[in-house]
Amino acid sequence: MNEYNFAYLDEQTKRMIRRAILKGLAVPGYQVPFASREMPMPYGWGTGGVQVSAATLTPDDVFKVIDQGADDTTNAVSIRKFFEKTAGVATTEETEKATIIQTRHRIPEAPLRADQILVYQVPIPEPLRFLEPRETETRKMHSLQEYGLMHVKLYEDISQHGAISTAYAYPVRVADRYVMDPSPIPKFDNPKLEMDAIQLFGAGREQRIYAVPPHTRVVSLDFEDYPFEASKADHACDLCGAEDSYLDEVITDDAGDRMFVCSDTDYCRSRREAGHQGRLAQEDAA
Amino acid sequence: MIELIDVSKSFTLHNQGGAVIPVMAGASLQVGAGECMALTGASGAGKSTLMRVIYGNYLAASGQVRVGGLDVARAQPREILQLRRETLGYVSQFLRVVPRVPTLEVVAEPLLVQGCERQTALDKAAGLLQRLNIPEPLWRLSPTTFSGGEQQRVNIARGFAHDYPALLLDEPTASLDARNRETVLSLIQEAKARGAAIIGIFHDQEARDRVCSRVVDVTQFAPGAAA
Amino acid sequence: MTPLLQVNGIEKRYGARIGCRDVSFDLYPGEVMGIVGESGSGKSTLLNCLAGHLKPDAGQVIFDTRADGPVDTVTMSEPARRMLGRTDWAFVHQHARDGLRMSVSAGGNIGERLMAVGSRHYGQIRGQALDWLGRVEIAESRVDDRPSAFSGGMQQRLQIARNLVTGPRLVFMDEPTGGLDVSVQARLLDLLRGLVREMGLSAIIVTHDLAVVRLLADRLMVMKDGEVVEAGLTDQVLDDPQHAYTQLLVSSVLQV
């Protein structure tokens, strides 16, 4: 603990980031610019989320990291270790026990509480970017609420695929004001964006922080005749039998056999511990 | 209906040393409703120039050009446009149209721009084309590919589509065969009968004598001649 | 009758250089005005000042809005001006790729303005897109193709459809036929003329092509060195030009 300041970042930087976070909470969905620091990991590995977590952590917090639902992938393990080492905080894989959860591409299946904070890693914070490359123009579009373009993207989806095929990073309107990219979470998770916990979004390379305060209205954009649908694979988890969770498809051999498992590893484990069993649970156990 | 008071016209050629070429001075004339006046004079005497001054195509240097109460020499562009839409028709020697527009539409256009019901306008256009012996299969084609005589007849049909209270006709019977010439002359008679004031240029003396009640020799408006 | 657009003393400078100066005119509903002049004469600068793309250094551009009557668009709030740009105004660029989203299908391009003003029914948006493709003579089967797969003339017609779908009252056009084959130009001119009449549009067309203004414009303004040197009825200005520069311009056109 002598080598680093608590949670790696110096206090002035954390102060700057906290100000950005507070501003983000005050203006839900608005992208607040911040002076993103160089972190000891490459861009794309969660530098934005890590800075937000660092500025949010207190010594009493219990920290959890999710990478696409899992606690045990490289990215999740390395970020968890990073804060174990630089902040000395307790870590956990259990959603229930965590006070701050940094996530990449998922929202946990278990509902979050008011005393928890969810920190998202965001690659590209600007939802209008792929249609309008000019930053000056997208900022103006946000300030004037000129959001027709967002629907052009959905129109294109329907005209090409017969349905809104955008499956992740599905754009939402926050508190009837800003259109926001919820980071690349599956659209299955979109309804969960209205929750009891604080949600913070950090984009390190793009130097933006934004937030959704608890109990904020978050509406997924759609058409009257093509309403939003939170879709998932039409299966139950092969391990825990859950029918309400987001599933990963896993190819199990060269013959094309496959299985569906909960993407949220903690959710799946806790269900199995509670005695739930899926189609392949016996084999797995064996 | 049409009244010119002491109208003069000159061209200033800025790119040829600023040479000023006076072409007309002291032109005064009057044409009332139901009257047809012929302009005469040798080629180059200024007949077409006078017509163009009346139509607002050439800007009069001085004097008044009153058509239906409007002084064309001093009117705003939109007043002249309105005048041309509603009051003053002009059959020039050349057909100028947007390529690709069918003949029937070309003829009906003066009616359509006034908000005339589409079918009524097309019916009237068809009637005129029929009278002027334009074969029906050609109506759907653009007149740009037509022969000179056919273009001339399309131009006439267009000029007579709307019942203008005042009409300018530049050689309406030129290059027409006897049958079509008759049709054009009767169109002019009909226009006179409904009270149109007409000024025309006719090289064809017999035609001129048949429809015109008065003749004005524009040579008298040549600069210097009036003085 | 109230003019649709009243332009008073527009001036735009680029540092010491004059873009355009002392331009004033009124445009009435249904009128089409051409602005001609050589490259650098200030005609495009003027058009951009009128359309709100450039802020003039002096002058007023008063537009007769549907809701509030005549309002100076130079001093109106930016959101209001941008709203005009999506509803009552349209801008047709010389290069279709400046006015189209090249990565969005033809239908999406046409639908964008509808969605921008709040249309949220896919079926209706698509229906209008198909209708407009027909009106600009593009096969309905091309509705899901991207404009990059279209010919230059088709791109330009698509740009026009995209602009006119919200039923604007004033269309700004910057060299709309520039860079097109003559036969394609003719078709476009014919189409524009038809639409102008059908929809009762007013238009301001900047071009250096005198044939284009003769066919499309009722009135003409001739610009040189940032100033209007002559204005009047199109045929009068072309057939009886008064100013030395206009005479030069008219006499420079090759007769076909």
Side-chain angles (χ1 to χ4, degrees):
Chain A
M1 271 311 294
N2 296 328
E3 295 94 328
Y4 295 104
N5 189 37
F6 175 74
Y8 187 75
L9 292 175
D10 62 275
E11 293 307 311
Q12 286 304 318
T13 298
K14 284 194 265 184
R15 189 178 140 102
M16 174 270 294
I17 293 172
R18 285 175 194 141
R19 291 171 74 119
I21 291 171
L22 287 174
K23 184 169 178 181
L25 285 166
V27 191
Y30 171 72
Q31 298 167 45
V32 185
F34 80 109
S36 178
R37 298 295 193 241
E38 290 287 335
M39 297 303 285
M41 61 191 72
Y43 288 130
W45 286 67
T47 53
V50 165
Q51 290 179 77
V52 170
S53 293
T56 312
L57 277 171
T58 66
D60 300 332
D61 273 314
V62 181
F63 190 61
K64 169 180 161 78
V65 185
I66 313 171
D67 177 7
Q68 307 219 43
D71 292 85
D72 50 5
T73 58
T74 316
N75 194 257
V77 171
S78 65
I79 292 175
R80 197 163 58 228
K81 296 257 189 238
F82 176 77
F83 281 114
E84 279 171 4
K85 188 167 183 180
T86 61
V89 292
T91 57
T92 180
E93 293 192 6
E94 290 176 51
T95 304
E96 172 76 10
K97 289 183 180 157
T99 54
I100 294 179
I101 303 171
Q102 180 170 335
T103 183
R104 172 174 175 265
H105 302 190
R106 272 313 309 274
I107 296 177
E109 301 293 353
L112 298 186
R113 302 181 309 268
D115 61 350
Q116 293 177 305
I117 296 175
L118 187 59
V119 177
Y120 295 78
Q121 300 173 200
V122 181
I124 295 170
E126 179 50 72
L128 300 164
R129 176 66 68 241
F130 289 104
L131 296 149
E132 177 51 70
R134 290 167 294 181
E135 171 73 14
T136 48
E137 187 64 16
T138 53
R139 277 198 214 186
K140 193 160 278 176
M141 290 161 85
H142 280 295
S143 68
L144 302 180
Q145 301 190 53
E146 289 181 3
Y147 290 134
L149 200 52
M150 214 60 250
H151 274 85
V152 171
K153 184 176 184 312
L154 302 180
Y155 170 95
E156 292 289 280
D157 267 4
I158 302 172
S159 68
Q160 280 160 31
H161 308 290
I164 297 177
S165 62
T166 300
Y168 61 92
Y170 192 104
V172 294
R173 187 136 196 198
V174 180
D176 299 319
R177 178 59 182 84
Y178 286 95
V179 164
M180 186 188 91
D181 180 345
S183 88
I185 57 171
K187 67 177 171 183
F188 173 80
D189 283 345
N190 270 24
K192 289 188 258 174
L193 287 162
E194 291 183 351
M195 63 165 71
D196 297 343
I198 288 176
Q199 300 170 79
L200 305 175
F201 298 79
R205 179 180 46 210
E206 302 278 327
Q207 314 197 331
R208 293 289 183 276
I209 285 172
Y210 52 101
V212 176
H215 311 293
T216 302
R217 189 169 141 85
V218 180
V219 178
S220 303
L221 303 182
D222 61 2
F223 286 102
E224 289 159 21
D225 46 347
Y226 285 85
F228 171 80
E229 266 180 275
S231 59
K232 64 182 269 287
D234 191 16
H235 285 273
C237 173
D238 285 330
L239 296 181
C240 77
E243 293 180 356
D244 57 353
S245 71
Y246 190 72
L247 302 174
D248 285 337
E249 182 180 3
V250 182
I251 305 295
T252 50
D253 59 27
D254 290 347
D257 281 330
R258 55 191 186 159
M259 63 188 289
F260 288 91
V261 294
C262 289
S263 127
D264 185 338
T265 52
D266 175 59
Y267 182 72
C268 198
R269 186 181 38 87
S270 59
R271 275 178 56 84
R272 275 179 284 147
E273 282 170 7
H276 296 282
Q277 289 195 342
R279 183 174 64 95
L280 301 171
Q282 296 307 327
E283 277 178 49
D284 187 57
Chain B
M1 193 67 218
I2 304 176
E3 184 180 16
L4 271 64
I5 304 168
D6 199 20
V7 173
S8 73
K9 173 68 196 159
S10 60
F11 292 105
T12 309
L13 305 179
H14 293 285
N15 299 305
Q16 290 172 35
V20 178
I21 304 177
V23 292
M24 196 165 67
S28 297
L29 58 81
Q30 226 175 347
V31 185
E35 229 188 329
C36 181
M37 172 192 280
L39 300 180
T40 61
S43 196
K47 302 184 294 293
S48 289
T49 300
L50 184 60
M51 291 269 231
R52 286 169 164 236
V53 166
I54 297 172
Y55 196 58
N57 181 227
Y58 283 177
L59 201 62
S62 66
Q64 291 182 39
V65 181
R66 310 197 69 86
V67 181
L70 183 73
D71 183 358
V72 174
R74 258 162 286 281
Q76 290 295 310
R78 73 186 177 90
E79 294 172 319
I80 299 181
L81 289 169
Q82 192 187 2
L83 183 81
R84 289 178 180 181
R85 248 190 330 267
E86 294 165 6
T87 312
L88 182 63
Y90 180 40
V91 177
S92 69
Q93 295 184 67
F94 307 101
L95 181 67
R96 204 185 297 254
V97 295
V98 182
R100 233 171 52 106
V101 179
T103 298
L104 193 63
E105 297 265 341
V106 167
V107 175
E109 202 195 352
L111 292 166
L112 293 172
V113 294
Q114 305 198 51
C116 177
E117 200 262 319
R118 192 173 164 78
Q119 198 51 49
T120 315
L122 292 178
D123 288 348
K124 183 154 189 200
L128 281 161
L129 288 169
Q130 197 112 50
R131 281 184 74 180
L132 287 156
N133 301 303
I134 303 288
E136 194 164 342
L138 297 185
W139 297 359
R140 278 173 285 106
L141 307 178
S142 164
T144 43
T145 54
F146 290 7
S147 72
E150 283 166 342
Q151 288 199 4
Q152 170 72 347
R153 279 177 279 151
V154 171
N155 211 8
I156 290 165
R158 181 180 158 89
F160 282 92
H162 170 56
D163 292 336
Y164 295 106
L167 261 177
L168 306 172
L169 307 173
D170 194 349
E171 301 261 25
T173 55
S175 71
L176 293 185
D177 60 25
R179 187 165 62 133
N180 286 315
R181 180 167 159 273
E182 280 311 309
T183 308
V184 172
L185 291 178
S186 50
L187 281 172
I188 297 173
Q189 298 287 15
E190 287 162 28
K192 277 170 67 183
R194 65 169 166 78
I198 302 171
I199 297 180
I201 301 171
F202 301 89
H203 280 145
D204 168 359
Q205 174 132 23
E206 195 209 324
R208 185 197 307 159
D209 294 344
R210 273 178 53 191
V211 295
C212 296
S213 38
R214 277 197 293 148
V215 171
V216 168
D217 186 348
V218 298
T219 316
Q220 60 179 304
F221 303 143
Chain C
M1 185 163 53
T2 316
L4 187 65
L5 195 71
Q6 300 171 60
V7 176
N8 300 324
I10 286 296
E11 174 170 326
K12 176 73 187 170
R13 288 173 177 276
Y14 300 103
R17 201 160 56 78
I18 293 166
C20 60
R21 185 165 68 184
D22 195 25
V23 180
S24 302
F25 64 89
D26 289 348
L27 187 76
Y28 285 82
E31 267 186 336
V32 177
M33 191 174 83
I35 303 176
V36 296
E38 60 199 0
S39 303
S41 60
K43 55 193 196 308
S44 289
T45 295
L46 174 63
L47 191 74
N48 282 312
C49 283
L50 300 179
H53 299 168
L54 280 177
K55 189 172 169 55
D57 296 317
Q60 297 175 303
V61 179
I62 300 169
F63 180 72
D64 185 18
T65 61
R66 287 183 216 234
D68 305 315
V71 179
D72 184 4
T73 61
V74 175
T75 53
M76 86 182 351
S77 72
E78 189 177 14
R81 189 165 52 240
R82 284 173 71 108
M83 187 51 128
L84 264 188
R86 291 198 302 272
T87 53
D88 263 353
W89 287 4
F91 197 103
V92 176
H93 295 263
Q94 172 177 9
H95 302 293
R97 48 181 63 241
D98 294 336
L100 291 173
R101 291 194 190 278
M102 298 305 281
S103 58
V104 168
S105 70
N109 264 291
I110 298 177
E112 182 178 341
R113 269 170 83 112
L114 293 170
M115 292 181 247
V117 295
S119 190
R120 292 290 179 267
H121 191 282
Y122 175 83
Q124 286 167 8
I125 293 164
R126 193 167 174 85
Q128 290 218 50
L130 289 169
D131 176 46
W132 268 97
L133 281 180
R135 292 174 77 167
V136 298
E137 304 172 23
I138 296 174
E140 288 192 359
S141 59
R142 304 299 300 271
V143 66
D144 293 329
D145 293 348
R146 291 183 176 185
S148 45
F150 287 6
S151 69
M154 280 169 76
Q155 287 183 2
Q156 201 57 299
R157 295 202 299 279
L158 179 63
Q159 195 195 173
I160 288 164
R162 168 182 159 89
N163 269 285
L164 298 189
V165 65
T166 48
R169 291 188 293 154
L170 177 59
V171 185
F172 301 98
M173 298 192 212
D174 190 3
E175 303 273 11
T177 58
L180 298 178
D181 286 344
V182 187
S183 61
V184 177
Q185 274 191 24
R187 185 174 185 190
L188 191 69
L189 288 174
D190 167 28
L191 180 79
L192 280 173
R193 230 166 96 111
L195 290 171
V196 162
R197 188 170 68 207
E198 249 173 68
M199 302 176 71
L201 293 175
S202 302
I204 298 177
I205 302 174
V206 159
T207 180
H208 60 262
D209 188 337
L210 298 183
V212 168
V213 288
R214 192 184 276 278
L215 287 176
L216 283 182
D218 306 310
R219 292 165 54 193
L220 193 57
M221 253 172 35
V222 183
M223 292 190 72
K224 180 172 170 36
D225 300 332
E227 295 185 43
V228 176
V229 295
E230 183 164 358
L233 270 181
T234 301
D235 58 305
Q236 184 257 300
V237 173
L238 293 181
D239 293 340
D240 186 15
Q242 307 292 310
H243 190 273
Y245 176 69
T246 317
Q247 292 184 356
L248 183 66
L249 201 66
V250 170
S251 63
S252 306
V253 176
L254 297 174
Q255 298 289 331
V256 181

